[in-house]
Amino acid sequence: MTTPLALPGLAGKVVVVTGAARGQGLAEALVLLASGATVIATDIAPDAPADLASSADLPGLAHYRQLDVTDEAGWTELASWLGSEFGRVDGLVNNAGIPFRGRIGEIARDDWDRVFAINVTGAMLGIQALSPLMNAGASIVNIGSSAALNAHHTVAYTSSKWALRGLTHVTATEFGARGIRTNIVHPGYIETEMMAAAPAIMTDAQLALTPLERTGQPEEVAAVVAFLLSDASAYVNGAEIPVDGGFTSSAGVKYMSDIIKNSQKTT
Ligand code: NAP
């Protein structure tokens, strides 16, 4: 394990991360631990990932709890444990999410419901269960997707991430008076197991549309999430931050620009 980046303004904070057994969730847990936070990493898997188990040298304190984000009773149990163990929660990262690459003509109702249950309802249940333990200065970070900013063909996934934007804005508005902030981060193409299953042609197409002309790393998302959890972002509320190499910003215009540039080279 390489030493993760450490950010200021996080030492001693109690932060829950969902879907933290691997990928971006694990990277978020490790940055928070390197920054001195107490991290409750949760995932559907029964056992803590090896990287978390070997994070004892980092300044923060790591705990691992099994949690299926769709399980309301599981959230209640976690809230009760957090209350008795720490008496408060300073941060929640709703990171757990699943892809589903079916198109509008072929999506089955069960698949649609499962994607929404994990990607949207899971985040809502987490906010409902843990927000009573939050005080002024607490921060909620939802993990959206560049698909939430465009019409990506994966209809259930795209629609679920658009819904998560709505949940983010409502929560940011409702909890603002309590001094609790809620923001959403939209990763582009990030190298995790989720994307390992994506067809190569999709990777090529996305790279052709990404101004930085490379894929992202989980640590690059984790750094932005950690900033949003930290006191350094104390006046950032209801914001949507793409971490996508400029993919959504250029809105496909890079493709057109490159074609024009290349045609001018040959004429
Ligand atoms: P990942 O590598 O697939 O990791 C997701 C983790 O969440 C896995 O450990 C998974 O466990 C767990 N999980 C799945 N269902 C769960 C549930 N019901 N309750 C608790 N945990 C559950 O994914 P990732 O690439 O790190 O993605 C993290 C987040 O970023 C997701 O919300 C995703 O939609 C979003 N995102 C990712 C990308 C990307 O390019 N990677 C781009 C945009 C947005 P199992 O493996 O056992 O299912």
Side-chain angles (χ1 to χ4, degrees), residues 37-254:
T38 294
V39 178
I40 297 83
T42 70
D43 202 289
I44 207 160
D47 300 316
D51 273 348
L52 193 71
S54 64
S55 66
D57 290 345
L58 298 175
L61 284 173
H63 298 263
Y64 182 80
R65 308 266 308 180
Q66 186 177 20
L67 175 75
D68 177 341
V69 294
T70 66
D71 177 10
E72 201 170 349
W75 277 112
T76 305
E77 203 178 300
L78 177 66
S80 155
W81 177 78
L82 288 162
S84 60
E85 197 78 12
F86 307 105
R88 67 179 208 283
V89 172
D90 303 309
L92 167 64
V93 185
N94 285 311
N95 165 79
I98 58 164
F100 192 79
R101 300 198 166 91
R103 291 172 184 262
I104 183 72
E106 63 201 25
I107 186 90
R109 170 69 190 267
D110 284 355
D111 293 325
W112 173 275
D113 287 349
R114 188 166 49 89
V115 171
F116 267 73
I118 296 171
N119 294 4
V120 190
T121 312
M124 186 277 291
L125 292 175
I127 292 167
Q128 272 193 338
L130 302 197
S131 57
L133 291 167
M134 293 181 177
N135 301 311
S139 168
I140 298 165
V141 182
N142 294 326
I143 305 300
S145 169
S146 54
L149 299 171
N150 58 32
H152 192 49
H153 67 274
T154 57
V155 64
Y157 182 76
T158 297
S159 303
S160 73
K161 294 294 187 177
W162 277 78
L164 193 58
R165 292 176 65 193
L167 177 66
T168 303
H169 288 278
V170 170
T171 309
T173 304
E174 287 280 313
F175 291 169
R178 287 174 56 194
I180 300 168
R181 301 179 293 112
T182 310
N183 296 287
I184 187 164
V185 170
H186 296 304
Y189 191 124
I190 309 298
E191 299 274 0
T192 66
E193 280 187 49
M194 180 183 280
M195 295 315 290
I201 200 158
M202 181 176 147
T203 311
D204 296 344
Q206 180 130 4
L207 284 175
L209 291 163
T210 300
L212 285 186
E213 299 189 339
R214 67 172 178 85
T215 53
Q217 295 303 315
E219 294 74 18
E220 294 176 304
V221 177
V224 177
V225 171
F227 164 72
L228 289 171
L229 291 165
S230 80
D231 298 337
S233 59
Y235 203 53
V236 182
N237 186 34
E240 306 201 28
I241 306 186
V243 183
D244 64 0
F247 170 61
T248 51
S249 161
S250 86
V253 166
K254 172 175 166 44

